[in-house]
Amino acid sequence: MSTEVDVAVVGSGHNALVGAAYLAAQGHSVTVFEADTVPGGAVSTVERFPGYRVDRGSSAHLMFRHTGIAEELDLAAHGLRYLDCDPWAFAPTPPGTTAPPIVFRTDLDATVASIGAACGPREAAAYRRFVAEWTPRAKATMAAFGSSPSAPRLGRAFWPTKGRASLTRMSRTYLASGDQLLDEYFDDERLKAALAWFGAQSGPAMSEPGTAPMIGFAALMHTLPPGRAVGGSGALTAALLSRLTADGGTVALGTPVTALHPPGGRGTDRAWKVTVATPDGARTVRARTVLAGCHVLTTLDLLERGGYDAARLPGWRRGIQVGPGVGMVLRLGTTAPPAFDGVPLADQAGLGLLVADRGHLARARGDMLAGDAPRRPAVLAMTFSGLDPSIAPEGRHNTTLWAQWYPYAVNGPGDWAAVAEAEADRIVAETQRWAPGFGATIEHRFVQTPSSLESELGLLGGNVMHVEMALHNMLLFRPIPELAGGRVPGAPGLALAGASMHPGGGVNGSSGRIAARLLARDLGHLARWRP
């Protein structure tokens, strides 16, 4: 392990690795320090059961393929291969009905035909209009996500047409709730529920202001669908590590950073001192710059241990909204895929939206806000072994059930250890309502609760998005206005990345690329100084 580097990277989540790879490609010396023995954070895959490649966090990469990062870093040359999740989503026949499934394919005409068969010609035409109107808006959102948030950049992205009428109309469009968007376009509640559940994967309920773009993002799925990395979500991490090491970067696993000591003032030592824990004891690494890719609250803790101005921290910590966007995950090894009526395995390439009305979602979220497990779980089902057989033994399947929303601290019986298995049983039972007999196919089960997501992956509060993706926590306000530029006042040479930062959670990578740009600028200014 080098004790002097240009860039010390805290954490090996995909955003941190993206930033590290860009900086190493520019010729800077980079070392990544990861507390876990498995790299990648929530973008990692392990053998949970014999012969199964099971994701620890994310599974479908909805946004990453729209960023251009894979092409810029030439990750295909480092083994990354994506399969199209096409269909990218499906809403099966609701329990107790004979209604046809709704299948969302990349091909817009095929999707419109499916909606027409399930919901009628008026809804089919409305969906075509929705895609036409929201595709450019979703592209504008992705453009805004690709750079540091600033008022001029956001203005150019979201309000490209000048004039008061345009400003007013587009402001209302972007600030509307997802439910309002759905009600403006559609009448069929089942179609609205499916799109609301897709949008809610960002965390907030679609009744909240500013959630319309989360549903509008569905329009982009008809230009490039979500990608499933061959071999599991962790294949993205493997490709980033390969690129990083090819350019001379290094990774120290099982080596947590325990403190970040900012450089002194003008005329003093300008090196960061990064304290790391190793099997041989604590060591200090001197770094010209630091890229912090861990949770923003973890970064603030590390700074406080390193002597950063503690007076600033309490207000910042209280302003960072971690909850309540949390869920439970079941990782299953099965003898057969879920038997959804009218949805064969070949059509289960994307997200299975197991809701038929928005009341189901509203009740689940309301229960969570009251501190209770939902009376009826809302489930997202994914069986990617049909698309990529390498992640399960021959004749077996790898299914993930994501259930929103669950509280971080449960009332009633006690802590999560006491109730996890019973809640997992309820999630399986809900899935069985849509796919009868599914429970009997389960041979292996691994349960992830909000508590275990925190302890295993560093997702504080169990929030996979780090910080709530509500309107007041996005863009110029993420995670709070004081830190929204990816910088910490009074800590020169430090850049923040990860889901805590703009543009937020999900497999995106943009915050890592933004941090790399900031540090490349810093390193240029520090070119005459070497630690």
Side-chain angles (χ1 to χ4, degrees):
M1 180 196 302
S2 173
T3 57
E4 295 186 351
V5 294
D6 291 336
V7 188
V9 181
V10 185
S12 68
H14 80 284
N15 282 292
L17 292 178
V18 164
Y22 275 107
L23 290 163
Q26 294 168 15
H28 302 295
S29 59
V30 178
T31 297
V32 177
F33 299 99
E34 170 56 60
D36 202 345
T37 55
V38 177
V43 183
S44 54
T45 304
V46 296
E47 189 177 37
R48 291 286 192 201
F49 326 119
Y52 287 86
R53 300 283 298 163
V54 179
D55 297 328
R56 296 205 300 170
S58 69
S59 290
H61 297 178
L62 273 72
M63 290 183 289
F64 184 75
R65 300 176 87 192
H66 292 267
T67 65
I69 291 172
E71 291 74 22
E72 290 173 5
L73 292 175
D74 194 17
L75 296 183
H78 294 269
L80 180 63
R81 180 182 166 221
Y82 275 117
L83 300 172
D84 288 347
C85 295
D86 189 11
W88 52 267
F90 61 94
T93 297
T97 76
T98 58
I102 303 172
V103 182
F104 297 91
R105 302 182 187 276
T106 307
D107 185 293
L108 178 58
D109 291 337
T111 302
V112 167
S114 177
I115 292 172
C119 310
R122 189 235 170 252
E123 301 301 274
Y127 186 82
R128 190 182 293 279
R129 179 166 59 89
F130 159 75
V131 171
E133 293 176 357
W134 270 93
T135 296
R137 297 169 189 169
K139 288 180 178 179
T141 301
M142 284 303 301
F145 283 0
S147 301
S148 297
S150 68
R153 285 196 185 100
L154 297 177
R156 288 191 295 270
F158 291 118
W159 296 280
T161 304
K162 296 181 180 180
R164 181 175 179 179
S166 173
L167 180 64
T168 301
R169 180 175 60 83
M170 292 308 294
S171 295
R172 182 182 184 276
T173 297
Y174 286 116
L175 296 176
S177 71
D179 282 339
Q180 178 64 29
L181 179 155
L182 292 167
D183 290 341
E184 286 185 3
Y185 281 94
F186 308 112
D187 292 329
D188 187 85
E189 180 59 28
R190 184 173 161 225
L191 176 59
K192 289 191 279 190
L195 291 170
W197 193 211
F198 173 85
Q201 298 311 305
S202 296
M206 292 299 99
S207 57
E208 292 190 13
T211 53
M214 297 175 182
I215 291 174
F217 189 71
L220 274 190
M221 299 299 96
H222 295 288
T223 63
L224 183 63
R228 174 64 185 177
V230 175
S233 189
L236 172 57
T237 292
L240 287 167
L241 288 171
S242 175
R243 175 63 199 250
L244 173 65
T245 55
D247 288 322
T250 60
V251 179
L253 299 178
T255 307
V257 172
T258 58
L260 292 172
H261 306 264
R266 193 175 190 84
T268 61
D269 189 349
R270 300 175 69 184
W272 279 83
K273 282 122 183 125
V274 180
T275 304
V276 299
T278 72
D280 299 325
R283 296 182 64 180
T284 298
V285 175
R286 290 161 56 83
R288 298 170 71 197
T289 61
V290 173
L291 192 161
C294 50
H295 196 290
V296 64
L297 290 176
T298 302
T299 302
L300 296 183
D301 288 344
L302 296 175
L303 285 169
E304 185 172 22
R305 292 177 205 153
Y308 181 77
D309 181 9
R312 304 177 191 245
L313 300 177
W316 291 353
R317 288 189 178 111
R318 292 182 70 88
I320 295 170
Q321 184 189 4
V322 170
V326 295
M328 277 186 65
V329 195
L330 271 60
R331 312 289 183 177
L332 307 173
T334 70
T335 59
F340 297 116
D341 188 19
V343 187
L345 179 60
D347 283 349
Q348 294 184 36
L351 311 180
L353 307 166
L354 308 190
V355 296
D357 64 83
R358 289 174 293 174
H360 184 176
L361 301 176
R363 285 186 291 272
R365 184 169 174 85
D367 288 340
M368 181 197 69
L369 293 175
D372 299 320
R375 286 163 284 182
R376 181 184 175 190
V379 179
L380 186 81
M382 296 169 281
T383 302
F384 291 119
S385 49
L387 190 63
D388 177 13
S390 73
I391 62 174
E394 186 175 356
R396 296 294 187 268
H397 287 278
N398 187 331
T399 295
T400 291
L401 303 179
W402 163 257
Q404 241 168 268
W405 287 270
Y406 277 83
Y408 174 64
V410 287
N411 291 335
D415 62 14
W416 268 110
V419 301
E421 293 301 326
E423 288 302 322
D425 289 342
R426 295 178 64 245
I427 293 169
V428 171
E430 174 61 27
T431 306
Q432 280 204 135
R433 297 186 68 213
W434 298 80
F438 177 65
T441 70
I442 299 173
E443 291 185 318
H444 306 282
R445 184 168 88 172
F446 183 82
V447 180
Q448 293 175 291
T449 68
S451 178
S452 64
L453 288 169
E454 178 181 76
S455 60
E456 181 180 11
L457 299 176
L459 298 169
L460 301 185
N463 191 342
V464 298
M465 302 295 178
H466 283 203
V467 176
E468 278 293 277
M469 301 274 280
L471 178 63
H472 60 279
N473 294 326
M474 298 297 286
L475 303 172
L476 294 169
F477 315 117
R478 188 167 188 87
I480 52 175
E482 294 89 337
L483 306 177
R487 297 293 203 180
V488 178
L494 170 65
L496 306 176
S500 304
M501 307 307 299
H502 171 77
V507 181
N508 188 302
S510 291
S511 74
R513 181 168 56 186
I514 292 168
R517 291 170 182 161
L518 295 174
L519 294 187
R521 194 178 310 148
D522 292 345
L523 290 164
H525 292 161
L526 295 170
R528 296 183 180 179
W529 174 81
R530 290 291 184 273

